[in-house]
C-alpha cells in the first residue's frame, strides 16, 4: 500500500495525457546499480508506472558506463533519462546529450541547478572514508580521521579504492593533490602519493558497488574510499561500517539527472526526474541511501541522515571544478593506468 499512498501525493505532478501514453509505452532510465538501483525499483518506478501507464526499463551501470552508452548511441538514442555523477553530467551536457528539464520545482538548493536547466541535482553525497567498526575495535585501532590514513602500513592489502574513472577514486586523487600543494590543474602530488605510499595497501581498485561490499563481507577489506550514500546503504543491511568526513574535507558529489535530447523525446522523461525531486522521494533517498536532499522543503526527522551531507556537513564539503577536471580526465585516466593500476 506504500506505493499507492505515494501515488496519490505525486500523481498530479507526473500524470501524463492519454496521447502521451499512446506515443510511448516504455521509458528507459539509465542509472547506478547496487543498492541505488534497488531503491529506485522499489520506491520510484512502481508509482510512476501506475500514474503514467508506462513501463520503466532500468539500465544499471556506473556513470562512465552510461556516458559511453550515450556516445555509442549518438544519433539514435535509446535512453530517455540519464542519472550520472556531476562530472560526467557536465560532459554529457557539453556533448549535447541533455535536453532541458521541464517544470523544475522552485525550492531547489542553488547547487542543484545547471545552466539552462539541462540537468538537475537529485541528491548530495560526500566522498570520504568507510571502515569496518567491528574489526577496528577488535584490533584496537582508532577510527580513521584523515586522507593521510590511507598511507598507514597497517592497512596493507586491506584497502579498497574505486579507480579514477569512478568519481570516488578521482576525488581521492584530487584531495591528496590539494593537501600537498596541488589543485585541479596539477595533481602530480596525488599521483606520487598513490604510487609510493598508498599502492602497497590497496587490495583492489574496485568500481563495482556489489564487489566492494563483498570484499568487506569476506573480511578481506577493512577500509575504503567511498560515498556517504553507499556507506549508509551498506550500514542499513546491519553490516558494521561507518563513514568518516576526513579532517581535511570531504568532497561533494552531486547525483544528477537529465532528459536525453532526441527527436522522439517523451515529456515523461522530465516527469520521472521531477518525481525524484518530490519531497517524499527525497526523504526516502535520505533514509535508505544517505542522500542529502536538494529540495529545501524536505523536513529531516531527528536521527535520520547521520552520515549524509546535511546542515553544517553540507556547507563544509569541497566542490571540485569540473570544468578543469573534465579537460584533464582522459589524460589522468591514461596516466593512472600506466603508473598506478599497472
Amino acid at each position: 500500500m506504500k506505493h499507492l499512498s505515494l501515488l496519490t501525493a505525486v500523481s498530479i505532478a507526473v500524470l501524463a495525457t492519454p496521447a502521451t501514453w499512446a506515443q510511448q509505452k516504455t521509458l528507459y532510465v539509465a542509472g547506478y546499480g547496487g543498492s541505488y538501483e534497488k531503491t529506485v525499483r522499489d520506491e520510484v518506478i512502481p508509482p510512476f508506472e501506475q500514474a503514467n501507464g508506462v513501463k520503466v526499463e532500468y539500465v544499471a551501470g556506473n556513470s562512465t558506463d552510461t556516458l559511453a552508452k550515450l556516445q555509442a548511441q549518438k544519433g539514435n538514442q535509446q535512453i530517455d533519462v540519464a542519472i550520472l555523477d556531476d562530472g560526467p553530467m557536465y560532459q554529457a551536457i557539453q556533448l549535447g546529450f541533455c535536453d532541458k528539464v521541464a517544470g523544475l520545482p522552485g525550492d531547489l538548493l542553488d547547487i542543484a541547478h545547471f545552466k539552462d536547466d539541462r540537468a538537475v541535482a537529485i541528491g548530495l553525497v560526500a566522498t570520504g572514508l568507510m571502515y569496518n567498526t567491528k574489526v577496528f575495535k577488535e584490533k584496537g585501532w582508532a577510527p580513521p580521521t584523515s586522507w593521510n590514513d590511507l598511507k598507514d602500513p597497517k592497512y596493507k592489502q586491506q584497502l579498497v579504492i574505486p579507480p579514477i574513472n569512478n568519481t570516488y577514486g578521482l576525488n581521492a586523487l584530487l584531495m591528496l593533490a590539494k593537501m600537498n600543494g596541488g589543485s585541479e590543474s596539477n595533481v602530480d602530488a596525488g599521483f606520487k602519493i598513490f604510487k609510493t605510499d598508498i599502492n602497497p595497501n590497496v587490495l583492489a581498485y574496485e568500481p563495482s558497488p556489489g564487489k566492494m561490499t563483498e570484499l568487506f563481507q569476506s573480511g578481506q577489506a577493512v577500509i575504503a574510499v567511498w560515498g556517504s550514500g553507499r556507506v549508509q546503504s551498506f550500514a542499513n543491511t546491519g553490516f558494521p561500517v561507518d563513514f568518516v568526513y576526513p579532517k581535511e574535507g570531504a568532497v561533494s558529489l552531486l547525483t544528477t539527472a537529465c532528459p536525453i535530447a532526441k527527436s522522439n523525446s517523451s515529456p515523461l522523461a522530465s516527469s520521472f526526474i521531477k518525481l525524484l525531486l518530490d519531497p517524499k522521494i527525497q526523504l526516502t533517498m535520505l533514509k535508505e541511501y544517505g542522500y542529502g536532499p536538494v529540495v529545501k522543503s524536505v523536513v529531516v526527522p531527528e536521527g535520520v541522515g547521520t552520515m549524509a551531507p546535511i546542515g553544517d556537513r553540507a556547507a563544509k564539503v569541497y566542490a571540485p571544478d569540473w570544468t578543469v577536471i573534465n579537460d584533464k580526465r582522459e589524460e589522468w585516466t591514461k596516466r593512472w593506468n600506466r603508473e598506478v593500476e599497472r
Side-chain angles (χ1 to χ4, degrees):
M1 296 301 292
K2 174 168 56 175
H3 297 316
L4 289 177
S5 61
L6 179 59
L7 172 63
T8 302
V10 301
S11 59
I12 295 175
V14 301
L15 196 62
T17 65
T20 302
W21 302 344
Q23 289 169 5
Q24 181 160 353
K25 291 296 185 183
T26 304
L27 192 77
Y28 290 90
V29 177
Y32 314 122
S35 52
Y36 183 87
E37 177 184 359
K38 183 179 186 303
T39 301
V40 172
R41 287 186 180 280
D42 290 349
E43 306 292 343
V44 181
I45 291 176
F48 186 83
E49 289 179 331
Q50 291 178 49
N52 293 285
V54 67
K55 173 70 176 172
V56 175
E57 291 288 351
Y58 192 89
V59 184
N62 64 33
S63 294
T64 49
D65 292 336
T66 299
L67 184 59
K69 288 187 180 80
L70 292 172
Q71 290 172 307
Q73 296 172 4
K74 187 175 182 179
N76 185 29
Q77 294 291 355
Q78 305 301 306
I79 295 168
D80 295 294
V81 175
I83 298 171
L84 303 169
D85 294 348
D86 43 6
M89 183 58 81
Y90 278 107
Q91 290 178 296
I93 293 170
Q94 186 178 18
L95 292 166
F97 294 141
C98 290
D99 210 346
K100 185 172 182 176
V101 189
L104 286 174
D107 63 338
L108 295 176
L109 298 177
D110 289 343
I111 58 171
H113 290 281
F114 282 68
K115 186 179 179 182
D116 299 327
D117 292 336
R118 293 287 168 180
V120 64
I122 55 175
L124 176 61
V125 176
T127 302
L129 308 178
M130 171 173 74
Y131 72 102
N132 184 318
T133 56
K134 182 172 181 288
V135 169
F136 271 62
K137 185 175 181 181
E138 290 170 351
K139 291 182 177 290
W141 292 347
T145 61
S146 166
W147 290 103
N148 283 324
D149 287 331
L150 299 176
K151 301 186 287 188
D152 193 322
K154 70 171 174 276
Y155 302 133
K156 186 175 182 178
Q157 291 291 293
Q158 298 178 90
L159 166 66
V160 184
I161 302 176
I164 68 161
N165 64 357
N166 180 294
T167 304
Y168 299 128
L170 190 150
N171 284 345
L173 174 72
L174 179 61
M175 281 306 301
L176 287 162
K178 275 177 53 50
M179 288 162 52
N180 292 278
S183 66
E184 285 91 338
S185 300
N186 179 9
V187 294
D188 288 349
F191 272 102
K192 182 179 179 182
I193 290 167
F194 261 99
K195 285 191 293 185
T196 59
D197 300 322
I198 294 178
N199 254 349
N201 291 343
V202 174
L203 171 67
Y205 289 103
E206 181 52 63
S208 164
K211 290 180 181 176
M212 174 74 85
T213 57
E214 286 174 13
L215 289 170
F216 270 73
Q217 289 164 335
S218 68
Q220 294 172 269
V222 299
I223 185 170
V225 172
W226 224 16
S228 54
R230 292 289 188 189
V231 181
Q232 182 69 70
S233 294
F234 194 17
N236 287 348
T237 69
F239 196 83
V241 287
D242 201 0
F243 182 79
V244 172
Y245 285 77
K247 62 185 179 183
E248 302 86 2
V251 187
S252 70
L253 187 161
L254 289 170
T255 295
T256 65
C258 85
I260 299 305
K262 54 184 183 177
S263 59
N264 60 337
S265 61
S266 168
L268 291 180
S270 285
S271 297
F272 189 87
I273 293 169
K274 285 189 289 183
L275 179 53
L276 294 171
L277 293 168
D278 181 271
K280 290 183 174 62
I281 295 296
Q282 289 272 296
L283 188 56
T284 295
M285 286 296 185
L286 173 63
K287 290 177 178 177
E288 298 194 10
Y289 202 67
Y291 274 6
V294 297
V295 178
K296 295 176 185 177
S297 59
V298 174
V299 178
V300 179
E302 188 175 349
V304 173
T306 56
M307 297 183 192
I310 53 178
D312 288 343
R313 291 196 299 267
K316 292 177 182 177
V317 292
Y318 173 70
D321 185 342
W322 285 106
T323 304
V324 176
I325 292 171
N326 283 333
D327 283 343
K328 301 276 190 178
R329 193 160 186 173
E330 185 177 354
E331 173 192 331
W332 291 352
T333 300
K334 289 177 180 176
R335 182 177 176 185
W336 178 273
N337 293 336
R338 186 172 64 246
E339 298 180 16
V340 178
E341 230 184 307
R342 293 178 296 177

